[in-house]
């Protein structure tokens, strides 16, 4: 099992591009594969999760050619020939790996087909709740079978054509569930409406624009008319992933005198909550929008974070802000442990059903490093100001846990060893390389 070893680094300077955005890469692969025509996806994240989406679409009849595998840059170039709405029944179970986004969004597409198909995942994904997508898709006329009360995968999706349009108030603020229902809406007769309790990432809606799909938003309601077929319009450019940039943003913000510049990162306002949180905690952050403007419907630019001599102070993260920072909460909890004063994360029960139970896992690792943490059903409070010490830690097979605690290790006393880090390939294939640039500055720090 690979491990990541981290020694403390006093001060560092980092100037890099992070790999392509995971959420946007998934949507480009799924809509590109479904569309009429050919798409060139640039900046595609060559991670296990996004390859699961691309592999699923090829199993369903799309053609995908890797023009650049993105091994050196984390940004692949893929040519996708879509099926023009005519998906083929796959020969065997579609393996979604660790990717909840692949399984939940793809289920929306498969619900509207005339065939049945099986979706499976790894041990973690096969434990995550799928009843949240099964319920609306069955209301639309598909039939899905999972296992147990939470209807976990492997799932069998018995499609139905056409589906029936529904109005669906989301019981949880989830972009995956919203996207699943909107994608199913492409195969429904009539207007499908999803009503969000709180705004969630809107990459599906923006990608709909790229693929010429008519949709509209009215307050909290997003509506799409069916049936509609996505049309390839040529190039889709995926910006850098702010959820990957988050690790270096927190590392710099919590190290007085350090500075990081992340270039070409996505600045979609449904994802930039981490900038607001770190500013509230006292970090100095400059955002430089790209003069070329939007790329494939998504704003992007550079983000510069400096660690100030005063250091970070604790904050409260709760309410409508939570969906915006949901993937950054593990590393923001680390920021809280490195700050002065208490930090609270509340209203984040969704963390319990991510790649692992991220409340339990973050609390366990923070405690192992000497932090004082109280955990609740829906979050935790962290008493900042207790110096962290290096420790042997578990990743719990969760990519964001592994990387968040590598960042904690940079600010701890002594050596930190993170076990079982193959999971990093889920979202950030160049993480170790980028970490080495920081670790190499140890002697001069
Ligand atoms: C995602 C939505 C979020 C997020 C996940 C990616 C997406 O999940 O945590 O990493 O691409 O739509 P939920 O929709 O379950 O909150």
């Amino acid at each position: 099992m690979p491990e990541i070893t981290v020694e403390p680094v006093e001060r560092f300077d980092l100037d890099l591009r992070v790999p392509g955005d995971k959420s946007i890469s998934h949507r480009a692969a799924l809509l590109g594969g479904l569309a009429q025509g050919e798409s060139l996806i640039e900046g595609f994240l060559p991670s296990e999760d996004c390859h699961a989406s691309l592999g699923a679409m090829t199993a369903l009849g799309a053609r995908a050619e890797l023009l650049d595998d993105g091994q050196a840059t984390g940004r692949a170039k893929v040519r996708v020939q879509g099926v023009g709405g005519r998906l083929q029944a796959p020969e065997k179970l579609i393996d979604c790996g660790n990717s909840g986004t692949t399984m939940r969004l793809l289920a929306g597409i498969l619900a509207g087909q005339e065939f049945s198909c099986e979706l499976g995942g790894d041990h973690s994904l096969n434990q995550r709740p799928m009843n949240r997508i099964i319920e609306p898709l069955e209301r639309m006329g598909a039939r899905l079978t999972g296992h147990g009360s939470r209807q976990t995968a492997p799932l069998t999706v018995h499609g139905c054509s056409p589906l029936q349009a529904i109005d669906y108030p989301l019981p949880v603020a989830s972009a995956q569930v919203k996207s699943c229902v909107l994608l199913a809406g492409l195969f429904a007769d009539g207007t499908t409406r999803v009503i969000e309790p709180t705004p969630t990432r809107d990459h599906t809606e923006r990608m709909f624009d790229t693929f010429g799909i008519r949709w509209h938003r009215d307050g909290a309601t997003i509506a799409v008319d069916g049936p509609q077929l996505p049309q390839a319009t040529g190039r889709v450019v995926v910006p850098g992933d702010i959820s990957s940039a988050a690790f270096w943003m927190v590392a710099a913000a919590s190290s007085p005198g350090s500075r990081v510049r992340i270039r070409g990162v996505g600045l979609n306002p449904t994802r930039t909550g981490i900038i607001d949180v770190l500013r509230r905690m006292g970090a100095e952050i400059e955002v430089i929008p790209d003069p070329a403007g939007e790329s494939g419907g998504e704003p992007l630019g550079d983000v510069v974070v400096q660690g100030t001599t005063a250091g970070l102070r604790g904050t409260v993260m709760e309410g409508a802000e939570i969906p915006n920072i949901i993937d950054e909460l593990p590393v923001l909890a680390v920021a809280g442990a490195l700050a002065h004063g208490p930090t609270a994360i509340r209203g984040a029960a969704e963390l319990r059903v991510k790649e692992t139970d991220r409340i339990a896992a973050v609390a366990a690792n923070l405690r192992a490093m000497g932090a004082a943490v109280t955990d609740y059903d829906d979050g935790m409070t962290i008493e900042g100001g207790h110096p962290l010490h290096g420790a042997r830690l578990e990743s719990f097979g969760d990519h964001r846990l592994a990387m968040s605690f590598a960042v904690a290790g940079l600010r701890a006393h002594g050596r930190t060893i993170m076990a079982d880090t193959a999971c990093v390939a889920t979202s950030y294939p160049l993480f170790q390389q980028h970490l080495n640039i920081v670790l190499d500055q140890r002697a001069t720090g």
Side-chain angles (χ1 to χ4, degrees), residues 21-24 26-27 49 100-101 104-105 128 132 172-179 200-201 203-204 243 271 323 326-327 350 353-355 358 399-400:
D21 186 277
K22 180 157 84 69
S23 288
I24 301 172
H26 279 301
R27 286 150 172 89
D49 263 27
T101 310
R104 294 191 176 123
L105 271 58
R128 295 178 65 186
R132 54 181 60 191
V172 280
S174 161
Q176 292 181 356
V177 180
K178 169 179 70 174
S179 303
T200 65
R201 62 190 69 191
H203 304 303
T204 298
S243 299
R271 297 281 300 284
I326 191 75
D327 292 337
E350 275 296 300
V353 290
K354 293 295 178 188
E355 285 81 333
R358 286 184 176 162
H399 53 132
R400 298 205 198 278

Side-chain angles (χ1 to χ4, degrees), residues 217-242:
R217 173 184 273 281
D218 182 7
T221 303
I222 304 131
V224 65
D225 293 329
Q228 280 195 73
L229 176 61
Q231 300 291 336
T233 46
R235 256 171 101 223
V236 181
V237 183
V238 180
D241 197 328
I242 194 164

Side-chain angles (χ1 to χ4, degrees), residues 31-48:
L31 281 170
L34 179 64
Q36 174 101 51
E38 189 177 284
S39 303
L40 184 65
I41 310 172
E42 291 177 28
F44 183 82
L45 174 64
S47 75
E48 287 174 1

Side-chain angles (χ1 to χ4, degrees), residues 367-386:
R367 286 184 187 121
M369 298 184 90
V373 184
T374 309
D375 51 309
Y376 309 102
D377 285 349
D378 68 338
M380 66 188 82
T381 51
I382 305 140
E383 284 308 320
H386 295 257

Side-chain angles (χ1 to χ4, degrees), residues 71-392:
Q71 290 271 307
T73 57
R75 297 189 310 282
K77 197 188 273 190
V78 193
R79 184 160 42 215
V80 178
Q81 181 68 48
V83 295
R86 286 184 298 279
L87 294 169
Q88 292 165 14
E91 283 162 15
K92 50 183 179 32
L93 173 145
I94 294 180
D95 184 2
C96 302
N98 189 245
S99 176
T101 310
T102 305
M103 185 171 285
R104 294 191 176 123
L105 271 58
L106 189 61
I109 294 174
L110 294 171
Q113 309 306 314
E114 278 167 353
F115 53 79
S116 298
C117 159
E118 244 200 309
L119 299 179
D122 67 4
H123 178 70
S124 153
L125 182 55
N126 285 350
Q127 288 180 308
R128 295 178 65 186
M130 290 297 146
N131 42 2
R132 54 181 60 191
I133 57 158
I134 292 179
E135 201 241 329
L137 294 177
E138 293 207 325
R139 280 217 233 159
M140 296 177 85
R143 203 157 50 78
L144 288 89
T145 49
H147 300 267
S149 62
R150 296 205 305 176
Q151 295 282 284
T152 49
L155 291 181
T156 306
V157 184
H158 302 282
C160 163
S161 177
L163 291 169
Q164 207 179 303
I166 56 167
D167 285 3
Y168 192 65
L170 289 177
V172 280
S174 161
Q176 292 181 356
V177 180
K178 169 179 70 174
S179 303
C180 168
V181 176
L182 292 175
L183 286 165
L186 299 179
F187 302 94
D189 270 339
T191 304
T192 295
R193 293 183 193 83
V194 178
I195 302 106
E196 291 190 291
T198 353
T200 65
R201 62 190 69 191
D202 64 357
H203 304 303
T204 298
E205 297 92 306
R206 288 172 188 256
M207 195 63 76
F208 275 2
D209 285 336
T210 302
F211 282 89
I213 292 168
R214 294 177 313 282
W215 68 279
H216 62 270
R217 173 184 273 281
D218 182 7
T221 303
I222 304 131
V224 65
D225 293 329
Q228 280 195 73
L229 176 61
Q231 300 291 336
T233 46
R235 256 171 101 223
V236 181
V237 183
V238 180
D241 197 328
I242 194 164
S243 299
S244 296
F247 303 110
W248 312 121
M249 290 167 70
V250 168
S254 58
S255 313
S258 292
R259 177 184 174 276
V260 63
R261 180 175 189 135
I262 314 281
R263 296 180 187 267
V265 71
L267 295 173
N268 181 318
T270 62
R271 297 281 300 284
T272 49
I274 182 171
I275 296 176
D276 305 327
V277 174
L278 287 177
R279 278 184 174 149
R280 246 175 17 235
M281 295 179 84
E284 217 172 87
I285 304 186
E286 192 188 352
V287 176
I288 308 151
D290 189 325
E294 305 253 319
S295 132
E298 294 281 351
L300 80 164
D302 293 3
V303 174
V304 182
V305 182
Q306 317 234 29
T308 64
T309 38
L312 294 178
R313 54 180 177 268
T315 190
V316 177
M317 295 166 250
E318 63 184 355
E321 185 170 53
I322 294 297
N324 193 309
I325 52 173
I326 191 75
D327 292 337
E328 289 68 73
L329 286 171
V331 77
L332 286 170
V334 168
L338 295 168
H340 307 289
T343 287
I345 298 172
R346 299 308 296 262
E350 275 296 300
L351 289 177
R352 297 232 178 247
V353 290
K354 293 295 178 188
E355 285 81 333
T356 188
D357 175 343
R358 286 184 176 162
I359 294 177
V362 166
N365 278 349
L366 283 178
R367 286 184 187 121
M369 298 184 90
V373 184
T374 309
D375 51 309
Y376 309 102
D377 285 349
D378 68 338
M380 66 188 82
T381 51
I382 305 140
E383 284 308 320
H386 295 257
L388 299 185
H389 55 75
R392 239 200 118 78

